[in-house]
């Protein structure tokens, strides 16, 4: 299967570099480029990419708003958004994840990691390392629930095992690691994760992780 990629960055030189890396892979094809968020929306509609590599800070419309319009709540298009940022503690990264991004990478990421991230996101998974999850959510701890609030009613729909799985997803564990932690098969874990996403109306594991923190189910600094 060929993965169709749209490059969105206001720096042409960076787009050229990413294009060279991606087009060296037999299963990736760059279908277009955009220099700002508004152009990205137009290109997504016209080109129907599978994955959008999205810069955050751009003129006219930033990457957060563009992400929200491409992959946010109520959007059922096929495009997944992988955010690119210069700094790993960019103040907009959490907002981009809340807006529907399937993960984020630093712009200086090694070529092989960029390629792998695109494949992971295209496959419907999420790209967010546990260490990055911890730093981001610790940074935004003051904006998250204190833990004294009543948990959202939606959590009542989850079984005890599904709550366990959600907490482990929030810690950044893979399906294999969760399976080992709970002494079950990976297939069982995938089923539980699917139920969690469906019941909470979440798009992927990144949104599930953010939801777990925002709801107070998991606290920053406990990973």
């Amino acid at each position: 299967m060929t993965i169709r990629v749209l490059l969105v960055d206001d720096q042409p030189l960076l787009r050229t570099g990413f294009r060279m890396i991606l087009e060296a892979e037999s299963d990736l094809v760059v279908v277009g480029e955009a220099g700002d968020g508004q152009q990205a929306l137009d290109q997504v509609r016209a080109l129907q990419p599978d994955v959008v590599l999205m810069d955050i800070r751009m003129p006219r419309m930033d990457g957060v708003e563009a992400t929200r319009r491409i992959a946010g709540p109520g959007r059922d298009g096929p495009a997944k958004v992988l955010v690119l940022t210069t700094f790993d503690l960019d103040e907009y990264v959490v907002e981009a994840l809340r807006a529907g991004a399937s993960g984020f990478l630093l712009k200086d990421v090694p070529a092989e990691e960029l390629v792998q991230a695109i494949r992971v996101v295209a496959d419907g998974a999420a790209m967010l390392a546990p260490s990055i999850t911890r730093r981001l959510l610790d940074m935004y701890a003051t904006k998250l629930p204190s833990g004294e609030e009543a948990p959202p009613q939606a959590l009542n729909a989850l079984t005890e095992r599904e709550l366990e799985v959600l907490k482990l997803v929030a810690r950044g564990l893979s399906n294999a690691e969760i399976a080992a932690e709970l002494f079950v098969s990976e297939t069982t874990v995938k089923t539980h994760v699917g139920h969690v996403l469906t019941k909470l109306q979440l798009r992927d594991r990144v949104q599930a992780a953010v939801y777990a923190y925002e709801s107070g189910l998991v606290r920053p600094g406990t990973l």
Side-chain angles (χ1 to χ4, degrees):
M1 175 180 129
T2 300
I3 301 171
R4 297 165 57 82
V5 182
L6 174 66
L7 303 177
V8 184
D9 197 294
D10 62 343
Q11 299 183 51
L13 194 58
L14 277 177
R15 297 200 306 267
T16 299
F18 289 137
R19 178 182 282 273
M20 291 176 62
I21 291 171
L22 302 185
E23 291 190 337
E25 303 295 323
S26 60
D27 61 334
L28 304 181
V29 57
V30 176
V31 296
E33 300 181 13
D36 59 54
Q38 185 58 59
Q39 288 181 8
L41 297 182
D42 296 338
Q43 293 284 55
V44 166
R45 284 190 290 266
L47 302 173
Q48 296 293 301
D50 300 304
V51 176
V52 180
L53 280 185
M54 181 76 74
D55 187 21
I56 288 185
R57 303 183 185 190
M58 297 180 293
R60 287 216 296 169
M61 181 188 295
D62 65 26
V64 174
E65 181 58 27
T67 296
R68 184 175 293 109
R69 298 194 190 188
I70 293 169
R75 308 291 179 179
D76 56 2
K80 307 291 197 309
V81 177
L82 184 58
V83 170
L84 295 169
T85 179
T86 305
F87 306 103
D88 62 352
L89 290 181
D90 193 303
E91 61 184 349
Y92 297 110
V93 168
V94 166
E95 293 305 317
L97 296 177
R98 288 172 176 157
S102 292
F104 81 92
L105 292 172
L106 299 181
K107 288 185 177 179
D108 61 356
V109 65
E112 61 272 16
E113 290 186 24
L114 173 63
V115 169
Q116 180 60 20
I118 290 172
R119 290 172 178 148
V120 167
V121 168
D123 193 41
M127 195 69 196
L128 194 65
S131 61
I132 295 175
T133 304
R134 180 174 60 250
R135 291 204 305 275
L136 280 171
L137 293 171
D138 281 350
M139 178 182 179
Y140 283 82
T142 58
K143 298 184 180 180
L144 296 173
S146 66
E148 298 175 358
E149 301 89 343
Q153 286 291 324
L155 288 177
N156 295 333
L158 302 185
T159 66
E160 186 174 342
R161 180 48 60 99
E162 288 165 356
L163 282 171
E164 285 183 288
V165 169
L166 176 55
K167 291 176 182 178
L168 294 174
V169 166
R171 286 172 49 193
L173 272 63
S174 67
N175 284 346
E177 291 168 333
I178 294 174
E181 182 90 7
L182 300 179
F183 301 101
V184 297
S185 69
E186 281 192 59
T187 301
T188 298
V189 172
K190 288 180 182 178
T191 300
H192 287 315
V193 171
H195 289 166
V196 168
L197 297 181
T198 299
K199 290 180 179 181
L200 298 180
Q201 298 183 325
L202 302 171
R203 181 163 181 153
D204 56 34
R205 299 168 74 96
V206 168
Q207 288 191 353
V210 173
Y211 181 92
Y213 280 86
E214 290 185 323
S215 66
L217 184 64
V218 177
R219 298 300 306 150
T222 62
L223 298 182

